[in-house]
Amino acid sequence: MPGKNLSRDEAQQRASILTVDGYRVRLDVTSAPEPAAATFRSTTTIAFRCAEPGASTFVDLLAPAVRAVTLNGRALDPAAAYDGARVHVDGLAAENVLTVEADCAYSRTGEGLHRFTDPADGETYLYTHYEPADARRVFATFEQPDLKAPFTFTVTAPAAWDVRSNAPHESVTTEDAARTWEFAPTKAISTYLTAVVAGPYHVARDHYSRTLDDGTVLDIPLSAMCRRSLAPYFDADEILGVTKLGLDFFHERFAYPYPFGKYDQAFVPEYNIGAMENPGCVTFREEFVFRSKVTDAAYEGRANVVLHEMAHMWFGDLVTMRWWDDLWLKESFADFMGSYGLVGAGTRYQSAWVTFANQRKAWAYRQDQFPTTHPITADIRDLEDAKLNFDGITYAKGASVLKQLVAYAGAEAFFEGARRYFQRHAFGNTELADLLDILEETSGRDLKSWAAAWLQTAGVNTLTPQLTADAEGRITELAVLQDGGVLRPHRIAVGLYDRDADGALVRTARFELDVTGARTTVAEAVGLTRPALVLLNDDDLTYCKIRFDEESLETLRTGLGDIQDDLARALAWSALWNLTRDALMPARDYVALVLRFAGQEANIGVLQSLHTQAKGAVDLYADPAWRGEGGRLLADGALHELRAAAPGSDHQLAWARFLAQTANGSEHLGLVRGLLAGTARIDGLEVDQELRWALWLALAAAGQAGEEELAGELAADNTAGGRRQYTQSLAARPTPEAKAAAWSAVIDSDELPNALVEANIAGFAVPAHRDLTALYAAPYFKLLERVWAERTIEIAMRIVGGFFPQSQVDEATLAEADGWLAGHPQAAPALRRLVLERRDDLARALRAQACDRA
Ligand SMILES: [Zn+2]
């Protein structure tokens, strides 16, 4: 079978001769509830023009069988025309009609038309997910973003089902046990943005209306959907409330009426990513429907995603990148708008920029220091490249750089630019230059050199303060040193902090300036009293790593928790974590800071990332000789803070979960078992279903819960979520048999759905079980190429990333990784990229351990 890849050159060639006038797609999914039915019927008719009559082209299709192909009334032999990935057609006319009838496969990997059967009630649910190129698993398509066209879908489904697509339905007819839904034609959109959601979904309805500037009223029917068995937990009002605030806000800022009619938001099972911006039919991972108590950070995260996807209706759906090189044109904007919108639209999540600074940026810093990092505007040769570029650069660094652009060019110029961009390129495709031209118009600034520095180079700069003072403690000079690859222009704020009368650390001065080149002085600081803390990049305007002078670092060691401002404190935490990752601060020092100050941390999102980082510091960055003690300290700290936290608070829940992640001694594990059995309780802590699973996982990983007990919990929670947790807990048991079973379930068969692949890998890879999993390092490297060739890219990425021997932090494993890389120069570039990144994580952990030992 030929490759499933598609190159940029091929896409350019195809776009140079073709114009697509429209698709009619008929799907018959009446067989979906029968487990034995592997396929559904798909019939696609494409009307398109060709600028070079007589030329040849191909349509993309990944289907088990093609039944018929007709071009301009002429039947082609499917066996000759279809090669397993493409239907080849030649002798094109100026105007063409192509019909392809195929049997397409129901998916279990979240790619294409995913089928899920709910263990709770036996109901079947379907939804599609395509980005970047999986529409071809459902219908025949010119699978590239710049061949936009209107799509008309017709879906025949079981009669009891609800069916949604991008456009509203125009008619529904019932025949026997089936109903056929005819949808209105969509606006001209890209193939990867089309969608179908079908099943007995629970639907909450609402609507939004707004009087536009010309006096007309825009009415947008809204809905929010989830599986029926999740309906009791579905807080649709909260979701739809954020939706309406967002629609108000984006209409105001973008001044372009929402172009896609209605707005459905479906929360779907076994979803690979957070959400997808299908116009008028957004899909979300259903873990955003909270079955148990979660902290406010989870609500904020969900609201952020709601606004991110909504921003895409303009950035991405109305105006779309020409090819995946400019993926950032939509993802960086949407990522920026998620946080910007949470604050600006008046949601209750006013600390969105704190979360962004502390969590989103950590993703960017990590990615940007891999040897595989790339400029924000990337060089995407083909679809495999594209798949790997949904990364910390395209999203988080891109959004950070847009935040910097707003500081540099001004918010008004930025939004006026956005408005002109939508007007000028509506329903079209764009590249970097199209946006820059407009931003230059609105800002009156030359952005070419800015874009060259920020968008077309890779890597993160480090800013370090250099402060000198006289004998009286007055600043004689404050300079900002910049290093790290290409030096960039940074618009930054510098904050000086001192203790107030109550001992709190508060900002006493703020200077905003342009940092350029290797050394920039802060003239206004001269003559001021030397402060307790100098915070570069205060207010988080730019994208950089920051360091501290020795005196500031000492202030943080003794008083980090006294910083009053949430954002300043989050920036300090972030900088300390970067010092740890960069082997400039021993892991045990970072752990000590967390143990000392996390109990004071007011921001729940920051607290939860401190938990993750402190655990990571002990597991990977600490000297192995200290690891045991570090682990005990974390568990003791968790227990102490759990008992001290306000009853029923988010903080209490976060500490309970952290206790479950760190529990190792008999005292901690005894409490875990007591909480499960109901013989122990913590005032105000409700041991609900998700917390129960977290506690079971702790016992399983410690070898204190067997298959029978776990099966008992599953019997009490026989749901999709329960099955995932049960699977992970089984794989997390510290026995050779449990590890072998998890490995085999993932590697030896492709029957497992994506969600259970993920659960097995997560359970297998418990860091504390590194002695048990060490045996799998050699087989892992042997399997890589086979996995890459045989599995879908989504599953292959999980296996390659998840089974890498990450917790074997030693020179031998590093050498094994290097050996594989040296021996496989011809392996798929995307596969090499994944291995290179994991290898880099390992090398970083080795450096951090050396620092911690010293
Ligand atoms: Zn997005």
Side-chain angles (χ1 to χ4, degrees), residues 750-831:
D750 60 4
E751 296 289 302
L752 270 193
N754 50 352
L756 297 186
V757 167
E758 193 173 75
N760 271 298
I761 290 174
F764 174 90
V766 172
H769 301 165
R770 51 178 69 74
D771 291 346
L772 282 167
T773 53
L775 302 172
Y776 292 85
Y780 167 85
F781 288 108
K782 284 203 188 69
L783 279 166
L784 283 174
E785 284 182 298
R786 198 190 95 204
V787 163
W788 198 259
E790 291 179 1
R791 311 302 281 273
T792 67
I793 191 163
E794 184 68 43
I795 300 297
M797 283 167 66
R798 281 164 202 238
I799 294 174
V800 174
F803 276 150
F804 185 94
Q806 204 67 65
S807 51
Q808 317 297 330
V809 185
D810 52 48
E811 295 292 345
T813 308
L814 190 67
E816 226 168 339
D818 285 337
W820 185 88
L821 286 163
H824 297 81
Q826 303 303 326
L831 169 59

Side-chain angles (χ1 to χ4, degrees), residues 392-410:
I393 303 300
T394 303
Y395 285 71
K397 181 181 179 182
S400 306
V401 168
L402 290 180
K403 194 174 184 218
Q404 166 66 185
L405 178 62
V406 169
Y408 183 78

Side-chain angles (χ1 to χ4, degrees), residues 277 308-309 312 330-331 334 395:
E277 69 267 21
H308 173 121
E309 304 311 326
H312 272 315
K330 72 180 181 77
E331 291 308 340
Y395 285 71

